[in-house]
Amino acid sequence: MNDVKNADPKRKAGEQLPLVFSHDAASGRDDLLISERLAAAVSIVDAWPAWPSPVVVLAGPVGSGKSHLARIWRELSGAVDIHPEPSSDAAVAAAAGPVLFEDADRLGFDDNALFHVINSVRENGTSLLITSRLWPMSWPVSLPDLRSRLKAATVVEIGEPDEALLSQVIVKLFADRQLYIDDKLVLYIVNRMERSLNAAQTIVERLDRLALSRGTKITRSLAAEVLNELGNSEPAD
């Protein structure tokens, strides 16, 4: 039995790997795979503009789905991306409408600039969505007034994706490429991979490219090769 069925008639045995090979993965609200750990974050995005506070922070590890939800909210609200720095016009943008600040803990920010953004949002009845790997209380904030504003924000935590969600994501990513993968191979990958949505994306991309370059189907041995290259070891018995 083949591990994966190739549904694209254009894919032929011996086909060479194209120099540029991209796929448009479905990433809208209807395509979002919701698990228990993501439910609260999805609910807060869907509830906009009836938020419990004008500032919402989505906090979770890399690959937990924050960026996907941020994109959905940006499309829903028409939000503008900002980066609160001394020379930016972030506060002006916040006065005009919803704003989005992604990766706050990684990109960093100016305390005064973010303080003015939050004040602008509160005074003008707009909204601010912030994504971060860490909770706001863990950010290196030295301005007391900003720390006070952040305490009033609504913080929603997103946990690491569980096995069930990762399995759904891998199936979906292959389906986006018109490939339909065997359940046993999905389980094999999930049991050995890093627990993140980014890892799932990387594994599927590498498997598809490797299979195309070799003119073969995606099998367990091919998956093992990719997983080993990514530093994923066999699970303990």
Side-chain angles (χ1 to χ4, degrees):
M1 181 184 297
N2 293 327
D3 291 288
V4 65
K5 296 181 179 179
N6 192 330
D8 187 347
K10 295 181 181 179
R11 293 172 181 263
K12 301 176 182 178
E15 180 180 7
Q16 296 301 306
L17 178 66
L19 294 177
V20 178
F21 195 80
S22 62
H23 296 267
D24 295 326
S27 58
R29 174 63 181 84
D30 293 339
D31 299 295
L32 187 64
L33 301 173
I34 303 174
S35 70
E36 182 178 349
R37 300 184 184 190
L38 200 61
V42 172
S43 295
I44 199 73
V45 168
D46 285 345
W48 185 86
W51 279 357
S53 65
V55 179
V56 167
V57 179
L58 298 183
V62 173
S64 60
K66 300 186 302 297
S67 294
H68 190 161
L69 285 168
R71 286 195 298 270
I72 291 171
W73 183 75
R74 185 195 293 116
E75 293 178 3
L76 173 68
S77 65
V80 174
D81 290 293
I82 61 168
H83 186 188
E85 296 179 310
S87 59
S88 73
D89 59 354
V92 175
V99 287
L100 171 65
F101 178 27
E102 292 198 73
D103 298 320
D105 62 312
R106 182 174 64 85
L107 295 180
F109 51 84
D110 177 78
D111 282 16
N112 284 297
L114 183 55
F115 175 69
H116 289 307
V117 166
I118 294 176
N119 280 348
S120 185
V121 165
R122 291 159 60 103
E123 292 167 4
N124 292 280
T126 59
S127 306
L128 167 62
L129 177 65
I130 303 175
T131 66
S132 169
R133 295 169 301 178
L134 306 174
W135 280 57
M137 292 303 101
S138 297
W139 298 350
V141 173
S142 58
L143 184 66
D145 287 341
L146 174 59
R147 187 163 291 280
S148 175
R149 290 286 188 270
L150 290 172
K151 285 181 179 179
T154 298
V155 181
V156 181
E157 184 175 15
I158 304 174
E160 292 184 347
D162 56 21
E163 184 176 296
L165 178 60
L166 285 173
S167 296
Q168 293 179 60
V169 168
I170 287 175
V171 169
K172 175 184 178 298
L173 289 171
F174 274 114
D176 287 339
R177 295 165 179 265
Q178 298 182 37
L179 296 169
Y180 303 96
I181 191 168
D182 181 80
D183 289 343
K184 291 182 179 178
L185 183 53
V186 173
L187 185 60
Y188 176 83
I189 294 171
V190 168
N191 284 339
R192 289 158 177 80
M193 65 179 286
E194 172 191 313
R195 289 293 190 267
S196 80
L197 302 185
N198 288 346
Q201 178 76 39
T202 299
I203 290 167
V204 170
E205 287 178 353
R206 292 201 182 187
L207 277 172
D208 190 22
R209 287 175 177 268
L210 190 58
L212 276 174
S213 67
R214 295 181 181 176
T216 186
K217 295 187 180 296
I218 297 173
T219 62
R220 176 166 169 163
S221 61
L222 202 68
E225 182 177 338
V226 168
L227 289 166
N228 287 336
E229 288 176 355
L230 294 173
N232 296 276
S233 59
E234 293 286 327
D237 293 332

